[in-house]
Amino acid sequence: VVVVLAATVAADLGLLLLSPGPLRFGLALPLLFAFPGYAVVSGLFPARIRRSGVDIDALERAALALPVSLGVLAVVGLVLASPGAGLTAGGVLAALSGVVLWGSLVTVLRRGRIPADRRFDPSPGALVDGVRSLPDRFDDGTEAGATLALAGAVVVAAVSVGAAVAVPPEPAGHD
């Protein structure tokens, strides 16, 4: 969580100080699509095992970061688009950074109340272990195929959004 918070501050500074270009675009992507979702998911699931006994590992947390970030982004957009608020890049940046800050604070407070042996370990090794355990998670090829198809669809959607943002269409009538 501390790494996500530090990366958010670095992205904020880069977005405020850099001129528009590929580096600024690259800094905006995780702030839009990863950091808010990861902070919220970490706050919701501070322990390794939920009370119902379902294990939420690093891979699943990383996978949940994108859809939760999209949900946060949609809510931020709706709130800022309301009359009187004004939907601006600075407003979106401030709101998303606020979500990351509050999510990180909630995570630190909730993890502090959990015994050390039950706390989630956010190390890169935990993510690698989650990836290595993928073949053991599927009972048959159908479930694995559906999961791979969904992952492929997410990648195609992310690339499409990235391309649409990076290369906006030319205004009509300027031949």
Side-chain angles (χ1 to χ4, degrees):
V1 174
V2 174
V3 173
V4 170
L5 193 55
T8 300
V9 170
D12 287 347
L13 289 174
L15 290 170
L16 292 172
L17 300 175
L18 294 173
S19 60
L23 182 59
R24 190 172 173 187
F25 176 74
L27 289 172
L29 287 178
L31 187 60
L32 293 170
F33 301 119
F35 297 159
Y38 184 79
V40 169
V41 169
S42 294
L44 290 173
F45 304 108
R48 279 189 289 130
I49 299 176
R50 290 190 305 174
R51 290 181 190 180
S52 65
V54 177
D55 190 15
I56 305 291
D57 66 9
L59 183 63
E60 291 165 332
R61 289 168 193 267
L64 284 172
L66 175 66
V68 172
S69 288
L70 291 174
V72 167
L73 187 59
V75 170
V76 164
L78 287 172
V79 168
L80 292 179
S82 65
L87 183 60
T88 64
V92 172
L93 176 68
L96 291 177
S97 298
V99 168
V100 172
L101 175 67
W102 280 107
S104 299
L105 180 63
V106 167
T107 300
V108 167
L109 292 174
R110 291 196 66 203
R111 279 192 187 151
R113 295 180 180 180
I114 296 172
D117 62 328
R118 289 193 50 232
R119 285 186 198 145
F120 172 69
D121 173 26
S123 69
L127 184 60
V128 170
D129 290 343
V131 171
R132 286 184 184 157
S133 72
L134 276 175
D136 300 331
R137 294 181 185 209
F138 303 113
D139 294 333
D140 61 16
T142 306
E143 187 175 345
T147 302
L148 289 174
L150 178 61
V154 168
V155 169
V156 168
V159 169
S160 299
V161 168
V165 171
V167 185
E170 299 271 335
H174 289 76
D175 291 324

